[in-house]
């Protein structure tokens, strides 16, 4: 019997404390048979009873590698938190590899995801215009262009791939943000004032240390460099981790929860490398609920926002 072909691109698998979803994602990784597998896990939190045992169970699960594979692990003893643990693991990957695929423990990929990433990592290896390859598509089955994928400014990270050349420009503390925020380049980057206000608030909070996230600084860093994200015309990764145990995706009723995946088929490349503006507008309006911040929807939310602002002004300190 012929041995199954191994994936040549290394995978970084980010795990923590959820054996159930991790088992499903690890099975997808096993089927892809990467020749090099990097596994990173943050340490358990001391104030969470039973978490140390769940973390140990996850680590035991993901080290059961039964195919030809070089395995490297980065298992933290102490909890670093989402931002430092994940960004540190990605640094660790790209210290050793020129490119790689990054999967978190709740991001379940279609088998075509791995082929899509490997093909495009080779296709755009030396193209500085392209910073990220994502497996996510939130266009609700609307095809953008005639190719298998299009280019977006949005670097969705529920299953993605990149290069060392791109990640080395990551600035986790957003030191550049105060100056960039006031620049003409920022307004040109996000000309829609509703969308710009949304992202300005987020980056303000990240810069102030109010949000423990590696993903928002990664988005800002990619945008600062003018990087684009190759986005498949079908969804290739489903986030199966929505629920109370999730760090950032707790609502099981989210329209982004458990979106189905589809096969991509033969990969057809687009003729040009340029942002698909209509697709990005749709992404902001629907994936980020930007439409609720526009008229007429914003009028319905105004009383609640005003009441909240008044309460914050008068509440006892």
């Amino acid at each position: 019997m012929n041995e199954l072909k191994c994936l040549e691109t290394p995978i970084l698998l980010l795990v923590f404390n959820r054996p159930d979803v991790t088992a499903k994602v690890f099975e997808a990784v096993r089927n892809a048979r990467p020749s090099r597998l990097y596994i990173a896990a943050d340490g358990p939190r001391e104030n969470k009873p039973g978490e140390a045992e769940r973390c140990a169970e996850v680590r035991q699960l993901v080290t059961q590698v039964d195919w030809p594979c070089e395995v490297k692990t980065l298992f933290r003893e102490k909890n670093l938190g989402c931002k430092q643990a994940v960004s540190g693991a990605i640094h660790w990957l790209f210290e050793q590899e020129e490119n790689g695929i990054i999967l978190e423990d709740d991001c379940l990929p279609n088998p075509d995801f791995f082929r899509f990433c490997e093909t495009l990592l080779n296709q755009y290896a030396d193209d500085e215009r392209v910073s990220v390859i994502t497996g996510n598509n939130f266009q609700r089955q609307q095809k953008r262009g005639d190719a298998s994928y299009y280019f977006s400014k949005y670097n969705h990270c529920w299953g993605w791939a990149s290069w060392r050349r791109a990640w080395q420009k990551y600035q986790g503390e957003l030191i550049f943000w105060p100056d960039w925020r006031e620049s003409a380049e920022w307004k040109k980057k996000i000309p829609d004032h509703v969308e710009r206000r949304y992202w300005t608030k987020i980056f303000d909070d990240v810069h102030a240390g109010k949000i423990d996230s590696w993903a928002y600084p990664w988005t800002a860093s990619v945008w600062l460099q003018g990087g684009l994200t190759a986005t498949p015309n079908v969804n290739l990764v489903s986030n199966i981790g929505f629920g109370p145990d999730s760090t950032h995706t707790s609502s099981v009723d989210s329209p982004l929860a458990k979106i189905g995946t589809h096969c991509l088929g033969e990969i057809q490349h687009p003729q040009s490398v340029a942002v698909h503006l209509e697709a990005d507008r749709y992404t902001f309006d629907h994936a980020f609920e930007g439409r609720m911040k526009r008229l007429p929807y914003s009028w319905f939310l105004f009383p609640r926002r005003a009441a909240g602002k008044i309460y914050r002004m008068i509440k006892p300190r």
Side-chain angles (χ1 to χ4, degrees):
M1 181 180 293
N2 293 331
E3 188 172 326
L4 293 173
K5 181 180 178 181
C6 287
L7 182 75
E8 295 180 6
T9 304
I11 293 177
L12 169 62
L13 181 60
L14 301 164
V15 301
F16 185 37
N17 67 353
R18 293 185 288 176
D20 51 348
V21 294
T22 302
K24 296 176 182 178
V25 175
F26 184 69
E27 184 62 23
V29 171
R30 172 185 279 122
N31 291 336
R33 299 169 61 85
S35 59
R36 299 186 304 288
L37 178 61
Y38 294 76
I39 309 170
D42 199 4
R45 293 164 291 187
E46 294 181 358
N47 62 339
K48 297 288 185 179
E51 187 163 271
E53 291 76 13
R54 293 195 302 275
C55 287
E57 182 180 350
V58 165
R59 295 179 185 194
Q60 193 276 335
L61 187 159
V62 296
T63 50
Q64 301 304 305
V65 176
D66 55 5
W67 68 92
C69 181
E70 178 185 357
V71 179
K72 296 184 180 182
T73 60
L74 180 63
F75 291 164
R76 307 284 190 181
E77 293 185 9
K78 296 185 179 297
N79 186 268
L80 300 181
C82 179
K83 181 176 183 176
Q84 295 303 323
V86 174
S87 62
I90 301 171
H91 281 309
W92 171 62
L93 170 69
F94 287 123
E95 284 171 356
Q96 302 171 77
E97 302 285 353
E98 289 290 338
N99 59 45
I101 296 170
I102 296 93
L103 272 175
E104 296 190 48
D105 58 5
D106 55 2
C107 298
L108 184 61
N110 183 286
D112 280 2
F113 166 74
F114 301 103
R115 177 171 56 89
F116 176 67
C117 289
E118 186 158 271
T119 299
L120 269 61
L121 283 170
N122 292 326
Q123 179 79 9
Y124 297 104
D126 301 315
D127 193 332
E128 294 282 346
R129 296 173 296 177
V130 184
S131 296
V132 181
I133 301 155
T134 182
N136 306 134
N137 179 292
F138 302 130
Q139 300 295 307
R140 298 183 183 178
Q141 302 184 29
Q142 298 175 92
K143 186 173 182 180
R144 305 300 187 178
D146 298 324
S148 301
Y149 58 96
Y150 66 93
F151 290 97
S152 169
K153 70 172 179 286
Y154 283 114
N155 55 312
H156 305 299
C157 58
W158 293 346
W160 58 288
S162 190
W163 303 264
R164 176 191 293 165
R165 62 164 174 80
W167 180 257
Q168 66 187 5
K169 297 171 184 175
Y170 170 80
Q171 298 188 49
E173 303 309 315
L174 294 190
I175 295 173
F176 61 86
W177 172 241
D179 290 337
W180 196 39
R181 184 187 195 277
E182 305 304 322
S183 70
E185 288 78 8
W186 171 240
K187 294 179 177 62
K188 182 178 179 181
K189 183 69 182 181
I190 314 287
D192 182 327
H193 73 279
V194 174
E195 186 176 12
R196 189 169 64 249
R197 185 169 62 242
Y198 174 90
W199 287 106
T200 295
K201 176 65 166 61
I202 287 177
F203 295 154
D204 281 348
D205 287 349
V206 172
H207 183 262
K210 297 178 181 179
I211 299 177
D212 180 43
S213 169
W214 67 273
Y216 288 144
W218 177 221
T219 293
S221 299
V222 170
W223 288 359
L224 180 68
Q225 302 299 325
L228 300 181
T229 295
T231 305
N233 255 317
V234 297
N235 189 47
L236 292 175
V237 182
S238 178
N239 189 317
I240 60 172
F242 280 77
D245 293 333
S246 175
T247 302
H248 298 296
T249 53
S250 58
S251 174
V252 295
D253 297 323
S254 169
L256 303 182
K258 297 184 179 180
I259 297 176
T261 66
H262 302 273
C263 294
L264 187 65
E266 182 180 353
I267 296 177
Q268 302 290 332
H269 301 287
Q271 295 182 352
S272 62
V273 177
V275 170
H276 197 297
L277 296 175
E278 183 181 355
D280 276 6
R281 168 69 180 245
Y282 188 89
T283 294
F284 177 68
D285 280 352
H286 294 271
F288 296 102
E289 298 188 342
R291 69 190 186 282
M292 302 305 295
K293 298 168 177 60
R294 305 184 193 278
L295 293 173
Y297 300 104
S298 60
W299 282 108
F300 296 107
L301 298 177
F302 178 77
R304 187 172 64 183
R305 290 172 179 165
K309 186 173 293 186
I310 293 170
Y311 172 76
R312 288 191 295 272
M313 291 172 61
I314 65 175
K315 71 176 181 178
R317 295 183 181 276

